[in-house]
Every structure is written in C-alpha cells, then in structure tokens.
Amino acid sequence: MCNHKIRTRYAPSPTGYMHVGNLRTALYAYLIAKHENGTFILRIEDTDQERYVEGAVDVIYNTMKITGLIHDEGPDKGGPVGPYVQSERKPIYMEYAKKLVDKGEAYYCFCSKERLDMLKANAEALKRPFKYDKHCMHLSKEEVEEKLAAGVPYVIRQNNPTEGTTTFDDVIYGTISVDNSELEDMILIKSDGYPTYNFANVVDDHLMGITHVVRGSEYLSSSPKYNRLYEAFGWDIPVYVHCPPIMKDAQHKLSKRNGDASFEDLIAKGYLKDAVMNYIALLGWNPGNTQEIFSLEELVNIFDYRQINKAPAIFDPIKLKWMNGEYIRKLTLEEFHEMALPYYKEAIKNSNIDLMKVSKLLHTRTEVLGEIPEQIDFFDVLPEYSNDLYIHKKMKTNLENSLESLEKVLPLFETIENWDFNTLHDSILKLVEEMGIKNGVMLWPIRTALSGKAFTPGGAFELAEILGKEESIRRIKIGIDKLKNA
C-alpha cells in the first residue's frame, strides 16, 4: 500500500456521451483525491480506435468544466507523467510488453484468425468458455525471431498460470479469489500495435503513480488479470474501489442504448448541474446520516469511499426531480429568472407579459426548468378547452354557478382602475362576500376562464394580474360565451 500522496484518475474513452455512471466514477475519483488534498488526473483512453467518436473529447472537457471536477493534470494542462492521451503513448506499451516477454510473463502469438475461430468453435461445441491454448508459448526463440523477421502479424499475450489461485482485495467487495484455470492469456498488444484497454490501464496507472483506482464493479472479474500484471512487473498494486452498478430498476442497468438520460440530456431537460452531481454522489454512497443536500465542497470534506455500498443503486427520477426542486428554491429570484428566461421565450411571444411576475409565480413551484413552457403557454394564447374544466367537486362548481360567477365578475373587472394583485384580491373577495358564496365558486371559474387549464402555477388573482386588464376581460367574455352555449 502506498503511503505517499493520493493520486486518482478519471480515464474515459471518447465514445460520445457522458453517462451517469461515467460521471459518478469521475466524481468519486475526484472526491477521493481532494478529500486527502491529493491529485486528480484526466487521461483519455482512445486505444480502441474503432469506437472513437469525433468531438467526444470536447464533451469530456466541457462536462468536467461545467461540473467543477477540475483536474490537476491532463492532456490540456500537461503534468509530470504525460502524455495523458493513450494513443500518444503507443511506444511505451510496446516497450513494457517486451519486458514481460523477456521475463517469460508474456509471449508473441502468431495464430491466424482461422486457427482461433476453430478453437472457439470447438469450445462452443464442448460448451466450455473459450480459452487460448498457449500454442505459441511453446515456440522456440529462433522460431519467434524468424516469424518476426518475416513480418508475420502477431499479438502479445499475457502468460497466466493454469494452476493455483489469484487473490485480490477490493475496498468495497472485500477479498476475492479466482482459480487461475479461469484466467485467459489475454492479449496485451493487438495486431495493429495498439495496447488492449486492460494492459494500457495497468501500465499507465503505474507510470502515473495512481494510488486508488475507481471503476465500475463490472471490472471486478478482470482484476486478477491486472494484479498478475502488477506482480509480473514487480509493481505496487493500487487500492481498488469498485462501485456498484447504477440500475434503472431491479433488472435493467441504466444505459444510453435504452434511452436513459446522459448528463447532457439531463441538463437539456432543465436539471441544474449541482443537483445532478449531488444526486449522483448518493447513487451507491451515503454519508451515514440523514443529510441529502451537499455542495461539492461539502462532499469533498465528508466523502469516505469506504462507505460505498455493494448493492446496486437504483436511479430514481422522482428523487432527482425532488432534489432539483430543492436546488431551484435555493436560487435567488434573480438567478431563477435568468435561468428561466430561455424557457419563457419558448412559450411566451406576447411582449405585454411581465416575465419577472411569472418568475415570482414559478420560482417555488418549479422542479425542472424544462417543464416551464407547458405550464405557462396559456399566458401567450388561450388554449382550446372543454367546459368540463369548470366542474370541480371540491370547489363545488358546476356549469350554472360558474356562469353566474363569471357574469358577476365581468363588470367588476371593467371598473377596476388600479390593476394589481391586492386590488384584484380585495375586490373579488368583497364580491364573493356580497354573493354569499364560497371562495372556490368564484375563483375556480375565473382561473379556468383565464387559463383554459386544469393546473396552473398560480391562482385567479396572480393570473389576472399577469394577463392584464384587457386580456383578462377578453378571456372572461370567451368563458361566458362558452358556458352560455353549453
């Protein structure tokens, strides 16, 4: 175990989106380093050239920047152990693979695709997992040199023992032992000269001084192979922190392929980045108390990776929505207004609407910014609506008393000079008193006539104030006509 400064890394492959699981890995690696004043490194793992997506590296940089997971070393910043992009480190991997060949811990394999396909077909017929049969390990040094000189294509494979067991410790899952008979002689260097993901990972983590490796639990089964590489080189094994999978439900993992949201999708839907990060932190980890709202600074102070759970974490959109609502309420009215403006402009084209008044209405009632347009579109244009909306059991309204309420409030609206919330409130409630009816019998029909919706972010007084005198009167008249013709 290393006593020196903690160094963690986030090592994404540039394949497009920033999945929630990837972001959690980045967050946990960041928190482990920063909790101990350590170093957080960004490394781009682009050795799988076929999966490389144009522009994906920018997605990684932008996400790190937006979320505040600022790396100390990386491709854009440099550092003492660069380069930080795997495709630029190609000669390093070959050099280290050859060191293993010299030690007898790896070997050149010249088998053709046809031979490997035949082995696979045999394994399938016998219903056994496919394992390379070490055929090329038995080639003499001369035979190997002859083939290399002749330019025969090759890969370099790890030479794993077939007997005994390999044991490793994981902080979350404890001690895990694997029979060596299950270990495959995995390829370290592919025929195109690029390293495999597993090999590049081990070499880079060692050369970059990584002390704690944070990754998903799907890599647990590969860990014995990693450890055999560390041991073959005589290197220290880092602390492994395998995180539980993030599930959509009890059966299905969260995945972009199933249409589950990536970080960009959540931001586009109107979730706040701080709420998303806070929520992701709690997917598989808890602080050991009932606190649920944490800033990044608070997480850095409190985060202890030993408290990560083994059990899969369920991604609960309802919980995320609740948390986002909490974050929105913590904004000042001005901050909320600024964030909501693009959504208002989508739904309200009428320049007479005072958008700041809309913000006052929505600030404490909004959970996700993306839901704003459908909540407020009626301010712009009164939608088509059915008279059934006037019938409300709890408010004790029906078509008859709704019509009566609207017919009484129309002349009142026409006489109000000072059109603001307080005047509307006092005048309408005075009318309610004079008529000897319950408040709801008057307010529900007004709200329905003004909005044409069953749910609105505010009540009759707020809606009338925002719509203004002229538009409110126009809509009340439409309501009266609709009810008369019912």
Side-chain angles (χ1 to χ4, degrees):
M1 201 85 109
C2 322
N3 302 324
H4 49 275
K5 197 174 174 186
I6 284 190
R7 288 171 67 84
T8 64
R9 47 75 168 172
Y10 174 50
S13 300
T15 52
Y17 302 97
M18 180 66 85
H19 302 270
V20 166
N22 295 357
L23 192 54
R24 183 188 63 177
T25 301
L27 174 62
Y28 285 4
Y30 174 85
L31 293 174
I32 288 171
K34 295 302 160 189
H35 183 70
E36 301 281 351
N37 293 316
T39 304
F40 176 57
I41 295 161
L42 176 66
R43 179 172 80 223
I44 303 295
E45 303 205 331
D46 60 347
T47 56
D48 191 344
Q49 296 286 300
E50 284 171 19
R51 289 179 66 221
Y52 182 84
V53 173
E54 205 56 56
V57 176
D58 294 333
V59 169
I60 295 164
Y61 285 138
N62 290 340
T63 308
M64 306 292 276
K65 197 170 148 193
I66 292 167
T67 53
L69 302 181
I70 307 302
H71 49 283
D72 304 298
E73 299 171 20
D76 52 337
K77 292 188 172 175
V81 291
Y84 293 87
V85 176
Q86 284 188 334
S87 57
E88 294 168 22
R89 298 171 63 82
K90 203 170 154 188
I92 299 173
Y93 308 120
M94 186 57 94
E95 178 198 336
Y96 278 90
K98 284 180 175 167
K99 282 183 182 178
L100 289 182
V101 171
D102 293 341
K103 287 178 148 195
E105 295 283 357
Y107 56 92
Y108 289 97
C109 171
F110 301 94
C111 288
S112 64
K113 188 179 179 303
E114 288 71 29
R115 180 168 193 279
L116 293 173
D117 287 345
M118 192 185 75
L119 289 178
K120 279 179 190 152
N122 288 347
E124 269 172 36
L126 296 167
K127 294 195 168 37
R128 283 186 195 151
F130 164 72
K131 255 182 79 170
Y132 180 66
D133 60 359
K134 290 187 182 283
H135 172 75
C136 288
M137 204 192 87
H138 307 296
L139 296 174
S140 68
K141 206 166 180 199
E142 293 71 34
E143 286 174 294
V144 169
E145 276 166 12
E146 208 176 280
K147 287 181 184 291
L148 289 175
V152 179
Y154 66 87
V155 297
I156 296 180
R157 287 182 183 272
Q158 183 178 8
N159 182 14
N160 274 321
T162 50
E163 284 159 14
T165 56
T166 296
T167 300
F168 76 100
D169 289 301
D170 179 78
V171 171
I172 315 303
Y173 291 85
T175 301
I176 296 178
S177 289
V178 178
D179 279 336
N180 289 339
S181 59
E182 289 176 26
L183 297 182
E184 156 81 310
D185 279 3
M186 67 172 176
I187 294 173
L188 306 180
I189 301 286
K190 297 179 283 194
S191 55
D192 60 4
Y194 275 98
T196 53
Y197 172 80
N198 293 327
F199 184 56
N201 239 301
V202 169
V203 172
D204 287 347
D205 284 345
H206 172 73
L207 295 179
M208 294 183 176
I210 302 303
T211 59
H212 292 63
V213 171
V214 183
R215 59 182 174 221
S217 59
E218 65 270 23
Y219 292 106
L220 268 174
S221 58
S222 305
S223 297
K225 292 185 274 195
Y226 294 135
N227 282 11
R228 294 216 66 87
L229 286 172
Y230 281 108
E231 283 160 6
F233 281 119
W235 293 341
D236 283 340
I237 292 171
V239 175
Y240 289 122
V241 183
H242 285 97
C243 306
I246 300 177
M247 311 291 283
K248 186 175 187 166
D249 51 43
Q251 283 80 37
H252 305 95
K253 275 181 82 164
L254 205 63
S255 91
K256 186 72 193 165
R257 254 176 255 132
N258 301 338
D260 298 322
S262 66
F263 176 70
E264 297 95 311
D265 294 334
L266 291 172
I267 298 301
K269 284 179 181 173
Y271 285 90
L272 308 194
K273 63 168 174 73
D274 293 339
V276 175
M277 295 304 281
N278 186 158
Y279 181 67
I280 287 176
L282 299 172
L283 284 176
W285 170 83
N286 70 61
N289 59 24
T290 54
Q291 186 178 344
E292 290 191 294
I293 305 293
F294 295 95
S295 66
L296 192 56
E297 292 72 26
E298 287 174 306
L299 285 170
V300 165
N301 290 331
I302 196 173
F303 192 78
D304 179 352
Y305 61 85
R306 295 170 196 87
Q307 290 171 316
I308 294 172
N309 306 321
K310 280 187 211 174
I314 305 276
F315 187 92
D316 178 357
I318 294 164
K319 179 82 182 273
L320 172 60
K321 211 170 175 184
W322 165 80
M323 191 171 274
N324 202 61
E326 293 292 304
Y327 271 84
I328 286 177
R329 281 186 279 288
K330 278 165 69 177
L331 299 170
T332 64
L333 179 62
E334 286 67 30
E335 286 169 333
F336 172 74
H337 185 67
E338 203 52 43
M339 285 186 166
L341 272 178
Y343 298 94
Y344 294 164
K345 298 208 166 110
E346 234 177 88
I348 299 177
K349 305 284 180 262
N350 182 348
S351 56
N352 297 325
I353 300 291
D354 182 340
L355 296 177
M356 189 46 113
K357 283 182 177 166
V358 177
S359 283
K360 282 179 182 162
L361 205 55
L362 289 180
H363 185 195
T364 57
R365 293 178 166 95
T366 300
E367 283 192 314
V368 184
L369 296 172
E371 293 173 355
I372 288 175
E374 59 179 5
Q375 285 185 288
I376 59 165
D377 52 5
F378 68 88
F379 282 124
D380 206 46
V381 179
L382 181 67
E384 282 296 319
Y385 67 96
S386 126
N387 281 342
D388 293 348
L389 281 186
Y390 286 103
I391 303 166
H392 196 298
K393 226 177 185 167
K394 206 169 139 203
M395 298 294 176
K396 303 198 166 31
T397 57
N398 53 42
L399 299 184
E400 291 74 29
N401 63 15
S402 292
L403 177 59
E404 190 187 350
S405 292
L406 293 184
E407 287 183 324
K408 290 275 194 209
V409 89
L410 180 61
L412 174 68
F413 271 13
E414 286 168 335
T415 59
I416 293 176
E417 292 293 321
N418 191 16
W419 191 269
D420 62 27
F421 179 90
N422 291 333
T423 312
L424 287 161
H425 177 274
D426 297 346
S427 312
I428 293 171
L429 289 188
K430 192 171 166 233
L431 175 62
V432 166
E433 206 180 316
E434 285 167 8
M435 289 173 69
I437 57 175
K438 290 253 188 298
N439 287 357
V441 176
M442 174 62 74
L443 299 180
W444 184 260
I446 295 177
R447 179 170 153 175
T448 303
L450 294 180
S451 69
K453 287 197 159 194
F455 301 100
T456 57
F461 312 126
E462 290 100 337
L463 302 190
E465 183 191 22
I466 291 170
L467 284 165
K469 181 172 177 175
E470 203 179 309
E471 181 62 12
S472 296
I473 289 171
R474 190 182 78 80
R475 292 187 182 195
I476 295 289
K477 285 178 175 171
I478 291 171
I480 291 171
D481 288 347
K482 277 175 75 76
L483 286 165
K484 277 184 170 167
N485 295 323

